[in-house]
Amino acid sequence: QAQLVESGGGLVRPGGSLRLSCAASGTLFSVYSMGWYRQAPGKQRELVADIHIDGDTKYSDSVKGRFTISRDNDKNTVYLQMDSLKPDDTAVYYCHLEWYNDITRGNYWGQGTQVTVSS
């Protein structure tokens, strides 16, 4: 069994910054990608950013230029630097990891961490 341990969420003012982190622990496996999703009240869960093991990144249009995703492959840890935060960024943020082996692929989800942007 494995788990994703998230940290860094909290309450910030508009224009402020937060840094989220997520570390996979408990077992060894081949990582295909790690990333972040978010879900705001009354809305569907959406991809915020992800990063493949080869370093390629993808961002939602709504966060481009403000958020930066990075990772430490040796630690199976992914980070999300969130700058110039807006009230619309308020959501529960979920870490996601996609893995693979010889015959299949699968994924893990974090428990979610609350990010609230409010004056």
Side-chain angles (χ1 to χ4, degrees), residues 56-75:
D56 288 342
T57 59
K58 182 178 180 180
Y59 294 92
S60 166
D61 287 342
S62 64
V63 307
K64 286 181 180 177
R66 300 188 297 118
F67 293 7
T68 303
I69 190 168
S70 61
R71 85 282 192 248
D72 183 336
N73 287 340
D74 291 337
K75 298 180 179 179

Side-chain angles (χ1 to χ4, degrees), residues 45-61:
R45 187 176 298 187
E46 65 172 347
L47 175 68
V48 178
D50 68 4
I51 183 165
H52 288 245
I53 198 67
D54 63 6
D56 288 342
T57 59
K58 182 178 180 180
Y59 294 92
S60 166
D61 287 342

